[in-house]
Amino acid sequence: MKVAYWPGCVSRGFTPELHGSMAAVAPLLGIELIELDRAACCGAGVIAEHNQELADTLNARTFALAQQTDGELMMNICSTCQGAQTECQTRLDANADYRAQINRSLATQELSYEAGLTNKNFLWLLVEEVGLDALQAKVRRPLRNLRVGPFYGCYIVRPMDQLAIDDEHPRHRYLHWLIEALGGTVIDYAGVYKCCGFPIITMNREASLKQAARHLGDAIDAEADCLVTPCPLCHLNLDLQQPLAAKLAGRRLGMPVLHLPQLVGLALGLEPRQLSMDKHIVRPSSVIDWSAAVVAASAA
Amino acid sequence: MPEYALRLRRYDPQSGQGAYWEQFTVELDGHRSVLDAILKQRAERDGTIGIRCSCRSAICGSCGVRINDKPGLACHTHLDRAAQAGREGSQVIVVEPMGNMPVIKDLIVDMDAVHWKKIQRVTPWLINKQPIPEREYVVPKESMLDITQSMACIQCGACVSDCLSLEVDPLFIGPAQLAKAYRFVGDPRDAQHEQRLRELAEDPHGIYDCTHCWACIDACPKGVAPMSQIMRLRRLAGSDHQIEDANNGHRHELAFTNNIARNGLLAEADVLPDSYGGKLHPRAIGVLLASLPVILRALVRRKVTLRSALLHPHRGRFKDLSGLFDQIERRAERRELNLYITGYDSAEPAQVAGNGPAMVATGASPTRGAADEGEGR
Ligand code: SF4
Ligand code: SF4
Ligand code: FES
């Protein structure tokens, strides 16, 4: 399937391994990515707290660019983009007058957003479009014996009604389902749905790092081998900042955190190196060892 | 009559024993509430169960608890729905006391120690503008509509229970508290509009200590959306009054917005120093030093290269953006849409405010002067 692809800022900034692994995994799943390279930052909730209309306009611009492609829908790879964009889209779709006014601002760029865009995170797309059965059929190295803790990121699980999470689409369970479909073991720990702390890293550093340290510690106590997250901002606080979080908490951490496409790629048979796992701050040794053991076993 | 299984967390600090779980079954219709089930058990079998309640119709806010890991009102949760949402399809309804507050007994938490004490911090009453008119105050309809959402709060504490900032920073003022603050900040009769904003921004555990986790929005049984009220307070304090806060929140939001206007995509390496006043600002130097190990590690692992971090290779693609930013930020009045007030096109007509397009201009408060005319940047 063809999708209008919004990679977000951070996957092309401080977490290039996310952008790279998505590009590596997409062809294996038959997903053609039409990258929206003129689209701008979603605002991550920060621009909206400065000026709501500005955030809505920026995202309407992105949606309009997506509608100009022949993609079946728009796909993102960031929980925060999903949440911030859905919030703006909710206002745009709810009110025709408002939409018309935003479109007047976009007219100078010859763009216009029409209500009703479908915008799905890669996680949602895997479950709802690709399908877990179809995905399972492509698994070449089931994640047997790998204990994976899901870390969703706030913006992709709350508020439930805005994100259309209901009995029919229990999107807050998809990461659990996915880990299982890939053959891994789901580790439920206290932090699954909590905040990584990133939004206040510049505002209350201590509280922010405490949040990260607590969830990482809980995952260690639950004996996870690694975490997986669909959110690169969570990755920044959980991986990039992990040494500082450990220092603040006075506890050894060393918990590897994978991006969602990396976990999928691993099960589809890609090597940790092809998924740029060497770019992580906390080396995913447990995952690399697991992968080496599986390869060795299949060679024997 | 159907039977429902409930599992209560029991705890009596005076007993000297730790908390324990107790399970029982109750026969009741599915449309009856979790509170009804607990009261039935208490009346018929175990008079020692501690739970607080009064109105039994979702209006007094006394019966806040956690049901199946979610905060809510026991009197407003149907048994059949609660059983469906049982952990891993178990049908067992798990009821616990709310979080972030000390337990007094069983399901009763100490609201005084946390919730009410914090409410005091926002001066939760109107401070009249002088002179007080001889007859009633006449206020614009839109400005009263603008605060209805925060006025819907029944002080149940569900949002406080699940607040993820409070979990790590007990000094954080709290979601219901900030929603209450908005109720007076947005009231045109109040004399302390700017003063209130200043205090909320200058408190290091005030509006800029919220981690934007949305938990309070999902927790609230009354649709108050405390986080949305906090974001409105931030827009008023930062964009409209340019108040410099203790947490560098406003500066960060400006640095972020300007960064996107210039680069289209976030140039992370600039945001951090800019949030503290620019690379050479004394405030930034300490932060940069503290972040140095992080930056160095990112360079060593080739997450970033100096070239990509400093040269902004994306910038060329976004030349048309800054015009768009200017156009919106130069408006005489900053605009925002509150769907709580305007509703959705498909349902009722969106003309609730009766002022043309369903747009709530935020200039509702007459206390705002010429300096507030949206010159945010
Ligand atoms: S959004 Fe803010 S106030 Fe609401 S629960 Fe999260 S941290 Fe607390
Ligand atoms: S804001 Fe909502 S959840 Fe919080 S105390 Fe008020 S009614 Fe309860
Ligand atoms: S008893 Fe009053 S709100 Fe539940």
Side-chain angles (χ1 to χ4, degrees), chain B residues 176-206:
Chain B
Q177 291 67 17
L178 291 170
K180 179 59 85 188
Y182 185 79
R183 188 250 166 273
F184 295 104
V185 165
D187 193 318
R189 298 166 300 175
D190 193 86
Q192 304 270 312
H193 176 81
E194 189 172 346
Q195 184 58 29
R196 286 178 188 272
L197 286 170
R198 208 165 275 290
E199 280 165 17
L200 293 167
E202 285 171 357
D203 182 342
H205 306 282

PDB file of all heavy atoms in Angstrom, chain B residues 176-206:
ATOM      1  N   ALA B 176      -6.919  19.903  38.933  1.00  0.00           N
ATOM      2  CA  ALA B 176      -8.194  20.532  39.320  1.00  0.00           C
ATOM      3  C   ALA B 176      -7.922  21.950  39.810  1.00  0.00           C
ATOM      4  O   ALA B 176      -8.724  22.868  39.601  1.00  0.00           O
ATOM      5  CB  ALA B 176      -8.873  19.728  40.424  1.00  0.00           C
ATOM      6  N   GLN B 177      -6.784  22.114  40.453  1.00  0.00           N
ATOM      7  CA  GLN B 177      -6.411  23.403  41.013  1.00  0.00           C
ATOM      8  C   GLN B 177      -6.203  24.426  39.896  1.00  0.00           C
ATOM      9  O   GLN B 177      -6.649  25.571  39.984  1.00  0.00           O
ATOM     10  CB  GLN B 177      -5.125  23.240  41.838  1.00  0.00           C
ATOM     11  CG  GLN B 177      -5.289  22.427  43.119  1.00  0.00           C
ATOM     12  CD  GLN B 177      -5.617  20.940  42.923  1.00  0.00           C
ATOM     13  OE1 GLN B 177      -5.443  20.367  41.855  1.00  0.00           O
ATOM     14  NE2 GLN B 177      -6.103  20.319  43.988  1.00  0.00           N
ATOM     15  N   LEU B 178      -5.540  23.993  38.834  1.00  0.00           N
ATOM     16  CA  LEU B 178      -5.277  24.935  37.751  1.00  0.00           C
ATOM     17  C   LEU B 178      -6.542  25.189  36.927  1.00  0.00           C
ATOM     18  O   LEU B 178      -6.736  26.285  36.401  1.00  0.00           O
ATOM     19  CB  LEU B 178      -4.114  24.438  36.889  1.00  0.00           C
ATOM     20  CG  LEU B 178      -2.771  24.496  37.657  1.00  0.00           C
ATOM     21  CD1 LEU B 178      -1.664  23.784  36.883  1.00  0.00           C
ATOM     22  CD2 LEU B 178      -2.359  25.938  37.943  1.00  0.00           C
ATOM     23  N   ALA B 179      -7.403  24.189  36.858  1.00  0.00           N
ATOM     24  CA  ALA B 179      -8.691  24.424  36.194  1.00  0.00           C
ATOM     25  C   ALA B 179      -9.472  25.474  36.992  1.00  0.00           C
ATOM     26  O   ALA B 179     -10.093  26.378  36.436  1.00  0.00           O
ATOM     27  CB  ALA B 179      -9.489  23.123  36.086  1.00  0.00           C
ATOM     28  N   LYS B 180      -9.421  25.360  38.295  1.00  0.00           N
ATOM     29  CA  LYS B 180     -10.087  26.348  39.166  1.00  0.00           C
ATOM     30  C   LYS B 180      -9.446  27.725  38.970  1.00  0.00           C
ATOM     31  O   LYS B 180     -10.136  28.755  38.928  1.00  0.00           O
ATOM     32  CB  LYS B 180      -9.977  25.876  40.625  1.00  0.00           C
ATOM     33  CG  LYS B 180     -10.581  26.795  41.650  1.00  0.00           C
ATOM     34  CD  LYS B 180     -12.057  27.051  41.424  1.00  0.00           C
ATOM     35  CE  LYS B 180     -12.924  25.976  42.029  1.00  0.00           C
ATOM     36  NZ  LYS B 180     -14.351  26.136  41.637  1.00  0.00           N
ATOM     37  N   ALA B 181      -8.129  27.741  38.834  1.00  0.00           N
ATOM     38  CA  ALA B 181      -7.444  29.016  38.617  1.00  0.00           C
ATOM     39  C   ALA B 181      -7.974  29.676  37.337  1.00  0.00           C
ATOM     40  O   ALA B 181      -8.214  30.884  37.301  1.00  0.00           O
ATOM     41  CB  ALA B 181      -5.936  28.795  38.520  1.00  0.00           C
ATOM     42  N   TYR B 182      -8.161  28.852  36.292  1.00  0.00           N
ATOM     43  CA  TYR B 182      -8.651  29.437  35.041  1.00  0.00           C
ATOM     44  C   TYR B 182     -10.043  30.039  35.212  1.00  0.00           C
ATOM     45  O   TYR B 182     -10.372  31.058  34.613  1.00  0.00           O
ATOM     46  CB  TYR B 182      -8.679  28.409  33.896  1.00  0.00           C
ATOM     47  CG  TYR B 182      -9.063  29.087  32.602  1.00  0.00           C
ATOM     48  CD1 TYR B 182      -8.112  29.807  31.894  1.00  0.00           C
ATOM     49  CD2 TYR B 182     -10.378  29.109  32.165  1.00  0.00           C
ATOM     50  CE1 TYR B 182      -8.462  30.516  30.761  1.00  0.00           C
ATOM     51  CE2 TYR B 182     -10.740  29.820  31.035  1.00  0.00           C
ATOM     52  CZ  TYR B 182      -9.775  30.520  30.341  1.00  0.00           C
ATOM     53  OH  TYR B 182     -10.118  31.240  29.234  1.00  0.00           O
ATOM     54  N   ARG B 183     -10.824  29.417  36.070  1.00  0.00           N
ATOM     55  CA  ARG B 183     -12.183  29.885  36.297  1.00  0.00           C
ATOM     56  C   ARG B 183     -12.195  31.354  36.722  1.00  0.00           C
ATOM     57  O   ARG B 183     -13.095  32.112  36.368  1.00  0.00           O
ATOM     58  CB  ARG B 183     -12.850  28.977  37.344  1.00  0.00           C
ATOM     59  CG  ARG B 183     -14.339  29.240  37.532  1.00  0.00           C
ATOM     60  CD  ARG B 183     -14.566  29.885  38.890  1.00  0.00           C
ATOM     61  NE  ARG B 183     -15.889  30.434  38.983  1.00  0.00           N
ATOM     62  CZ  ARG B 183     -16.213  31.665  38.573  1.00  0.00           C
ATOM     63  NH1 ARG B 183     -15.313  32.435  37.983  1.00  0.00           N
ATOM     64  NH2 ARG B 183     -17.436  32.111  38.719  1.00  0.00           N
ATOM     65  N   PHE B 184     -11.189  31.763  37.505  1.00  0.00           N
ATOM     66  CA  PHE B 184     -11.140  33.166  37.950  1.00  0.00           C
ATOM     67  C   PHE B 184     -10.306  34.042  37.021  1.00  0.00           C
ATOM     68  O   PHE B 184     -10.624  35.208  36.821  1.00  0.00           O
ATOM     69  CB  PHE B 184     -10.655  33.239  39.403  1.00  0.00           C
ATOM     70  CG  PHE B 184     -11.642  32.597  40.347  1.00  0.00           C
ATOM     71  CD1 PHE B 184     -11.415  31.343  40.884  1.00  0.00           C
ATOM     72  CD2 PHE B 184     -12.847  33.234  40.626  1.00  0.00           C
ATOM     73  CE1 PHE B 184     -12.366  30.734  41.704  1.00  0.00           C
ATOM     74  CE2 PHE B 184     -13.796  32.634  41.446  1.00  0.00           C
ATOM     75  CZ  PHE B 184     -13.554  31.385  41.979  1.00  0.00           C
ATOM     76  N   VAL B 185      -9.249  33.458  36.452  1.00  0.00           N
ATOM     77  CA  VAL B 185      -8.457  34.218  35.487  1.00  0.00           C
ATOM     78  C   VAL B 185      -9.345  34.658  34.316  1.00  0.00           C
ATOM     79  O   VAL B 185      -9.218  35.762  33.790  1.00  0.00           O
ATOM     80  CB  VAL B 185      -7.274  33.358  34.970  1.00  0.00           C
ATOM     81  CG1 VAL B 185      -6.668  33.960  33.711  1.00  0.00           C
ATOM     82  CG2 VAL B 185      -6.212  33.230  36.055  1.00  0.00           C
ATOM     83  N   GLY B 186     -10.264  33.777  33.931  1.00  0.00           N
ATOM     84  CA  GLY B 186     -11.108  34.079  32.778  1.00  0.00           C
ATOM     85  C   GLY B 186     -12.355  34.876  33.117  1.00  0.00           C
ATOM     86  O   GLY B 186     -13.139  35.202  32.233  1.00  0.00           O
ATOM     87  N   ASP B 187     -12.553  35.202  34.386  1.00  0.00           N
ATOM     88  CA  ASP B 187     -13.770  35.907  34.802  1.00  0.00           C
ATOM     89  C   ASP B 187     -13.559  37.419  34.708  1.00  0.00           C
ATOM     90  O   ASP B 187     -12.712  37.973  35.402  1.00  0.00           O
ATOM     91  CB  ASP B 187     -14.117  35.510  36.247  1.00  0.00           C
ATOM     92  CG  ASP B 187     -15.522  35.961  36.633  1.00  0.00           C
ATOM     93  OD1 ASP B 187     -15.899  37.107  36.273  1.00  0.00           O
ATOM     94  OD2 ASP B 187     -16.234  35.175  37.286  1.00  0.00           O
ATOM     95  N   PRO B 188     -14.310  38.100  33.841  1.00  0.00           N
ATOM     96  CA  PRO B 188     -14.066  39.531  33.637  1.00  0.00           C
ATOM     97  C   PRO B 188     -14.352  40.376  34.883  1.00  0.00           C
ATOM     98  O   PRO B 188     -13.941  41.537  34.935  1.00  0.00           O
ATOM     99  CB  PRO B 188     -15.022  39.895  32.500  1.00  0.00           C
ATOM    100  CG  PRO B 188     -16.038  38.817  32.461  1.00  0.00           C
ATOM    101  CD  PRO B 188     -15.389  37.579  32.994  1.00  0.00           C
ATOM    102  N   ARG B 189     -15.001  39.823  35.887  1.00  0.00           N
ATOM    103  CA  ARG B 189     -15.271  40.606  37.096  1.00  0.00           C
ATOM    104  C   ARG B 189     -14.103  40.599  38.062  1.00  0.00           C
ATOM    105  O   ARG B 189     -14.085  41.315  39.051  1.00  0.00           O
ATOM    106  CB  ARG B 189     -16.509  40.048  37.816  1.00  0.00           C
ATOM    107  CG  ARG B 189     -17.764  40.126  37.001  1.00  0.00           C
ATOM    108  CD  ARG B 189     -18.853  39.271  37.589  1.00  0.00           C
ATOM    109  NE  ARG B 189     -18.442  37.863  37.645  1.00  0.00           N
ATOM    110  CZ  ARG B 189     -19.161  36.897  38.201  1.00  0.00           C
ATOM    111  NH1 ARG B 189     -20.314  37.182  38.777  1.00  0.00           N
ATOM    112  NH2 ARG B 189     -18.728  35.661  38.194  1.00  0.00           N
ATOM    113  N   ASP B 190     -13.116  39.751  37.772  1.00  0.00           N
ATOM    114  CA  ASP B 190     -12.026  39.595  38.730  1.00  0.00           C
ATOM    115  C   ASP B 190     -10.974  40.685  38.523  1.00  0.00           C
ATOM    116  O   ASP B 190     -10.605  41.018  37.396  1.00  0.00           O
ATOM    117  CB  ASP B 190     -11.380  38.223  38.570  1.00  0.00           C
ATOM    118  CG  ASP B 190     -10.478  37.887  39.733  1.00  0.00           C
ATOM    119  OD1 ASP B 190     -10.988  37.370  40.744  1.00  0.00           O
ATOM    120  OD2 ASP B 190      -9.262  38.160  39.649  1.00  0.00           O
ATOM    121  N   ALA B 191     -10.499  41.242  39.624  1.00  0.00           N
ATOM    122  CA  ALA B 191      -9.559  42.367  39.551  1.00  0.00           C
ATOM    123  C   ALA B 191      -8.112  41.913  39.394  1.00  0.00           C
ATOM    124  O   ALA B 191      -7.233  42.718  39.137  1.00  0.00           O
ATOM    125  CB  ALA B 191      -9.691  43.219  40.810  1.00  0.00           C
ATOM    126  N   GLN B 192      -7.854  40.620  39.570  1.00  0.00           N
ATOM    127  CA  GLN B 192      -6.469  40.165  39.680  1.00  0.00           C
ATOM    128  C   GLN B 192      -6.019  39.319  38.489  1.00  0.00           C
ATOM    129  O   GLN B 192      -5.157  38.451  38.651  1.00  0.00           O
ATOM    130  CB  GLN B 192      -6.322  39.337  40.962  1.00  0.00           C
ATOM    131  CG  GLN B 192      -6.738  40.051  42.214  1.00  0.00           C
ATOM    132  CD  GLN B 192      -5.585  40.798  42.847  1.00  0.00           C
ATOM    133  OE1 GLN B 192      -4.506  40.245  43.006  1.00  0.00           O
ATOM    134  NE2 GLN B 192      -5.794  42.044  43.202  1.00  0.00           N
ATOM    135  N   HIS B 193      -6.618  39.562  37.330  1.00  0.00           N
ATOM    136  CA  HIS B 193      -6.321  38.736  36.156  1.00  0.00           C
ATOM    137  C   HIS B 193      -4.813  38.530  35.967  1.00  0.00           C
ATOM    138  O   HIS B 193      -4.311  37.414  35.997  1.00  0.00           O
ATOM    139  CB  HIS B 193      -6.938  39.412  34.929  1.00  0.00           C
ATOM    140  CG  HIS B 193      -6.635  38.730  33.629  1.00  0.00           C
ATOM    141  ND1 HIS B 193      -7.318  37.632  33.199  1.00  0.00           N
ATOM    142  CD2 HIS B 193      -5.708  38.998  32.675  1.00  0.00           C
ATOM    143  CE1 HIS B 193      -6.838  37.250  32.020  1.00  0.00           C
ATOM    144  NE2 HIS B 193      -5.868  38.068  31.687  1.00  0.00           N
ATOM    145  N   GLU B 194      -4.099  39.629  35.823  1.00  0.00           N
ATOM    146  CA  GLU B 194      -2.679  39.489  35.513  1.00  0.00           C
ATOM    147  C   GLU B 194      -1.884  38.990  36.726  1.00  0.00           C
ATOM    148  O   GLU B 194      -0.958  38.185  36.599  1.00  0.00           O
ATOM    149  CB  GLU B 194      -2.109  40.815  35.008  1.00  0.00           C
ATOM    150  CG  GLU B 194      -0.708  40.600  34.494  1.00  0.00           C
ATOM    151  CD  GLU B 194      -0.104  41.802  33.790  1.00  0.00           C
ATOM    152  OE1 GLU B 194      -0.858  42.735  33.455  1.00  0.00           O
ATOM    153  OE2 GLU B 194       1.119  41.789  33.602  1.00  0.00           O
ATOM    154  N   GLN B 195      -2.274  39.489  37.895  1.00  0.00           N
ATOM    155  CA  GLN B 195      -1.612  39.076  39.124  1.00  0.00           C
ATOM    156  C   GLN B 195      -1.695  37.554  39.315  1.00  0.00           C
ATOM    157  O   GLN B 195      -0.732  36.878  39.650  1.00  0.00           O
ATOM    158  CB  GLN B 195      -2.275  39.801  40.302  1.00  0.00           C
ATOM    159  CG  GLN B 195      -1.642  39.560  41.648  1.00  0.00           C
ATOM    160  CD  GLN B 195      -0.179  39.973  41.664  1.00  0.00           C
ATOM    161  OE1 GLN B 195       0.226  40.887  40.926  1.00  0.00           O
ATOM    162  NE2 GLN B 195       0.617  39.279  42.462  1.00  0.00           N
ATOM    163  N   ARG B 196      -2.870  37.030  39.059  1.00  0.00           N
ATOM    164  CA  ARG B 196      -3.063  35.578  39.183  1.00  0.00           C
ATOM    165  C   ARG B 196      -2.154  34.837  38.202  1.00  0.00           C
ATOM    166  O   ARG B 196      -1.489  33.863  38.558  1.00  0.00           O
ATOM    167  CB  ARG B 196      -4.524  35.209  38.884  1.00  0.00           C
ATOM    168  CG  ARG B 196      -5.512  35.564  39.992  1.00  0.00           C
ATOM    169  CD  ARG B 196      -6.919  35.190  39.530  1.00  0.00           C
ATOM    170  NE  ARG B 196      -7.957  35.655  40.434  1.00  0.00           N
ATOM    171  CZ  ARG B 196      -8.404  34.953  41.488  1.00  0.00           C
ATOM    172  NH1 ARG B 196      -7.895  33.763  41.751  1.00  0.00           N
ATOM    173  NH2 ARG B 196      -9.344  35.446  42.262  1.00  0.00           N
ATOM    174  N   LEU B 197      -2.133  35.302  36.955  1.00  0.00           N
ATOM    175  CA  LEU B 197      -1.296  34.646  35.946  1.00  0.00           C
ATOM    176  C   LEU B 197       0.171  34.680  36.359  1.00  0.00           C
ATOM    177  O   LEU B 197       0.906  33.711  36.224  1.00  0.00           O
ATOM    178  CB  LEU B 197      -1.465  35.339  34.592  1.00  0.00           C
ATOM    179  CG  LEU B 197      -2.784  35.076  33.861  1.00  0.00           C
ATOM    180  CD1 LEU B 197      -2.920  36.006  32.664  1.00  0.00           C
ATOM    181  CD2 LEU B 197      -2.862  33.620  33.412  1.00  0.00           C
ATOM    182  N   ARG B 198       0.570  35.833  36.874  1.00  0.00           N
ATOM    183  CA  ARG B 198       1.953  35.998  37.293  1.00  0.00           C
ATOM    184  C   ARG B 198       2.315  34.977  38.380  1.00  0.00           C
ATOM    185  O   ARG B 198       3.334  34.306  38.316  1.00  0.00           O
ATOM    186  CB  ARG B 198       2.139  37.432  37.815  1.00  0.00           C
ATOM    187  CG  ARG B 198       3.512  37.975  37.672  1.00  0.00           C
ATOM    188  CD  ARG B 198       3.545  39.483  37.856  1.00  0.00           C
ATOM    189  NE  ARG B 198       3.247  40.202  36.621  1.00  0.00           N
ATOM    190  CZ  ARG B 198       4.071  40.244  35.558  1.00  0.00           C
ATOM    191  NH1 ARG B 198       5.225  39.613  35.587  1.00  0.00           N
ATOM    192  NH2 ARG B 198       3.725  40.903  34.475  1.00  0.00           N
ATOM    193  N   GLU B 199       1.426  34.852  39.358  1.00  0.00           N
ATOM    194  CA  GLU B 199       1.708  33.909  40.445  1.00  0.00           C
ATOM    195  C   GLU B 199       1.750  32.464  39.947  1.00  0.00           C
ATOM    196  O   GLU B 199       2.602  31.674  40.354  1.00  0.00           O
ATOM    197  CB  GLU B 199       0.668  34.061  41.566  1.00  0.00           C
ATOM    198  CG  GLU B 199       0.998  35.250  42.457  1.00  0.00           C
ATOM    199  CD  GLU B 199      -0.154  35.675  43.351  1.00  0.00           C
ATOM    200  OE1 GLU B 199      -1.091  34.876  43.534  1.00  0.00           O
ATOM    201  OE2 GLU B 199      -0.101  36.811  43.863  1.00  0.00           O
ATOM    202  N   LEU B 200       0.833  32.151  39.053  1.00  0.00           N
ATOM    203  CA  LEU B 200       0.795  30.773  38.540  1.00  0.00           C
ATOM    204  C   LEU B 200       2.019  30.452  37.693  1.00  0.00           C
ATOM    205  O   LEU B 200       2.478  29.317  37.632  1.00  0.00           O
ATOM    206  CB  LEU B 200      -0.459  30.559  37.686  1.00  0.00           C
ATOM    207  CG  LEU B 200      -1.795  30.604  38.433  1.00  0.00           C
ATOM    208  CD1 LEU B 200      -2.942  30.709  37.443  1.00  0.00           C
ATOM    209  CD2 LEU B 200      -1.944  29.378  39.314  1.00  0.00           C
ATOM    210  N   ALA B 201       2.558  31.479  37.029  1.00  0.00           N
ATOM    211  CA  ALA B 201       3.725  31.262  36.173  1.00  0.00           C
ATOM    212  C   ALA B 201       5.018  31.307  36.975  1.00  0.00           C
ATOM    213  O   ALA B 201       5.970  30.579  36.698  1.00  0.00           O
ATOM    214  CB  ALA B 201       3.760  32.310  35.064  1.00  0.00           C
ATOM    215  N   GLU B 202       5.049  32.156  37.972  1.00  0.00           N
ATOM    216  CA  GLU B 202       6.293  32.302  38.728  1.00  0.00           C
ATOM    217  C   GLU B 202       6.491  31.188  39.750  1.00  0.00           C
ATOM    218  O   GLU B 202       7.595  30.965  40.236  1.00  0.00           O
ATOM    219  CB  GLU B 202       6.337  33.689  39.388  1.00  0.00           C
ATOM    220  CG  GLU B 202       6.648  34.769  38.348  1.00  0.00           C
ATOM    221  CD  GLU B 202       6.495  36.183  38.865  1.00  0.00           C
ATOM    222  OE1 GLU B 202       6.081  36.351  40.026  1.00  0.00           O
ATOM    223  OE2 GLU B 202       6.788  37.114  38.087  1.00  0.00           O
ATOM    224  N   ASP B 203       5.423  30.486  40.087  1.00  0.00           N
ATOM    225  CA  ASP B 203       5.546  29.325  40.961  1.00  0.00           C
ATOM    226  C   ASP B 203       6.256  28.203  40.188  1.00  0.00           C
ATOM    227  O   ASP B 203       5.761  27.744  39.160  1.00  0.00           O
ATOM    228  CB  ASP B 203       4.123  28.874  41.345  1.00  0.00           C
ATOM    229  CG  ASP B 203       4.118  27.694  42.301  1.00  0.00           C
ATOM    230  OD1 ASP B 203       5.156  27.009  42.404  1.00  0.00           O
ATOM    231  OD2 ASP B 203       3.069  27.467  42.938  1.00  0.00           O
ATOM    232  N   PRO B 204       7.432  27.750  40.642  1.00  0.00           N
ATOM    233  CA  PRO B 204       8.130  26.703  39.883  1.00  0.00           C
ATOM    234  C   PRO B 204       7.339  25.396  39.802  1.00  0.00           C
ATOM    235  O   PRO B 204       7.656  24.523  38.996  1.00  0.00           O
ATOM    236  CB  PRO B 204       9.441  26.503  40.654  1.00  0.00           C
ATOM    237  CG  PRO B 204       9.259  27.176  41.971  1.00  0.00           C
ATOM    238  CD  PRO B 204       8.177  28.204  41.818  1.00  0.00           C
ATOM    239  N   HIS B 205       6.328  25.270  40.616  1.00  0.00           N
ATOM    240  CA  HIS B 205       5.487  24.069  40.550  1.00  0.00           C
ATOM    241  C   HIS B 205       4.089  24.436  40.052  1.00  0.00           C
ATOM    242  O   HIS B 205       3.100  23.821  40.419  1.00  0.00           O
ATOM    243  CB  HIS B 205       5.428  23.382  41.910  1.00  0.00           C
ATOM    244  CG  HIS B 205       6.796  23.085  42.445  1.00  0.00           C
ATOM    245  ND1 HIS B 205       7.543  22.026  41.995  1.00  0.00           N
ATOM    246  CD2 HIS B 205       7.568  23.765  43.337  1.00  0.00           C
ATOM    247  CE1 HIS B 205       8.715  22.047  42.611  1.00  0.00           C
ATOM    248  NE2 HIS B 205       8.758  23.088  43.421  1.00  0.00           N
ATOM    249  N   GLY B 206       4.016  25.490  39.266  1.00  0.00           N
ATOM    250  CA  GLY B 206       2.742  25.994  38.757  1.00  0.00           C
ATOM    251  C   GLY B 206       2.446  25.509  37.346  1.00  0.00           C
ATOM    252  O   GLY B 206       2.674  24.339  37.025  1.00  0.00           O
TER     253      GLY B 206
END
